[in-house]
Amino acid sequence: MKIPLFKIYWDREDVKMVNSVIKKGAFWAGGTTIDKLEDKIAKYIGRKYCVVFNSGTAALHAALLTYKIKPGDEVIVPSFTFISTANVPLFIGAKPVFVDIEEKTFGLDPESVKKKITKKTKAIVPVHYGGCPCLIRELKKIADSYNLILIEDAAESFGARIRGKKVGTFGDSAMLSFCQNKIITTGEGGAIITDLRNVYEGLKLIRSHGRQEDPRYIDTPEYLDHITLGYNFRMSDMVAALGISQIKKVEKLIKMRRKNAEYLTQRLKAIDEIIIPSPLNNYFHVYQLYTIRVKKGKEERDNLMKYLGKKGISTRVYFYPVHLTRFYKRRFGYKKGKLPITEKISEQVLTLPLYPTLTKKEIDYIFEMICSFFKN
Ligand SMILES: Cc1ncc(COP(=O)(O)O)c(C=O)c1O
């Protein structure tokens, strides 16, 4: 049996939607499909505005610029994340300040965040890891009391919620990613959602060369002035069309993921050597990742990963700490021991295959192979 880490869920409707833009033969970029997708995302999450981008990284970059984070400012981020959460402050000359995580959600630890706030701190960018909301309500209180901007990195948690309130509605703004292993995907893509009109307008300028936007800019003879420094962070209309058909299916996809996760959990809970995900009360986990912890740590985790690989089961470590990458060690002189919880968790975690179309038979096989590893 061969089981990949993730499989993209797509159907005829996706193909039809992309084709419909192609067949128009016009407005492959800058057309009304973009507005429609933005409207659907904003409505689904429950925010007033959405601006889509060609990646989540570009979206976060634009957000920090829009919030006028400047060189020398500090931005609090986890190290237990995909590297771009930390890189984005560097893009604009600000400093990513790494804070440790807590073990319940693998998100930023609110108490540790408080300790790292300085006069230079401008923003906190917490990550909702792998489909699980972080302690965002506690982080929101801290951001409010220190007057800091809170931008949620919800790249991995589209549709996750706490007491029915969706991730992405707790902070000032939030970033989403639609890259290929996410809850819904357009191959590459991202978005910022917010309730603030000025942030929305700022994002649109930065997305498109600082140009006053007009969807008819190809058609119109009018001169559209460039009023700030901007980038080309735009999504194409074909990609947006795919986003529209993907978001239509989102609740179904989440249901399928949760059902599979539940069955996997039911099976894996018999294995004493591992810790399985156990979301907090009222936390609605969407299982973008299904991550277990191997209690004994790195050596056993790595052996399990190799063993499963030989048995045709793909697994991966999400995440190795960002502060211990070669780039961050060289640039900032970071060493092991800086973030004890992050480092411990990172040596224990192993992400197993989980996707909407994973079958019971495949889950049983994953369970049996993990059992056979520990028996040997
Ligand atoms: C936590 C996190 N932040 C940021 C990103 C960056 O998103 P993108 O790959 O769309 O640029 C990702 C996705 O890969 C992610 O998982």
Side-chain angles (χ1 to χ4, degrees), residues 27-35 38 197 200-201 203-227 234-235 237:
F27 291 112
W28 285 10
T32 51
T33 323
I34 300 283
D35 304 332
E38 291 178 339
R197 179 88 202 171
Y200 168 71
E201 283 169 0
L203 290 168
K204 287 186 96 169
L205 283 175
I206 287 161
R207 174 173 71 176
S208 190
H209 307 289
R211 180 172 49 209
Q212 282 177 313
E213 262 198 10
D214 183 329
R216 301 163 297 115
Y217 80 93
I218 294 168
D219 265 2
T220 178
E222 257 173 70
Y223 174 65
L224 299 170
D225 205 0
H226 298 262
I227 57 176
R234 294 185 308 246
M235 180 184 269
D237 274 53

Side-chain angles (χ1 to χ4, degrees), residues 54-58 60 81-82 84-85 127-128 153 155-156 175-179 181-182 188-190 288 319:
N54 49 25
S55 74
T57 305
L60 193 57
T81 182
F82 182 60
S84 79
T85 318
V127 170
H128 300 287
D153 178 338
E156 300 176 355
M175 178 269 262
L176 307 166
S177 165
F178 309 122
C179 84
N181 65 349
K182 299 302 191 279
E188 297 283 3
Q288 187 259 336
F319 290 99

Side-chain angles (χ1 to χ4, degrees), residues 54-68:
N54 49 25
S55 74
T57 305
L60 193 57
H61 188 169
L64 293 198
L65 286 169
T66 304
Y67 278 102
K68 306 221 178 318

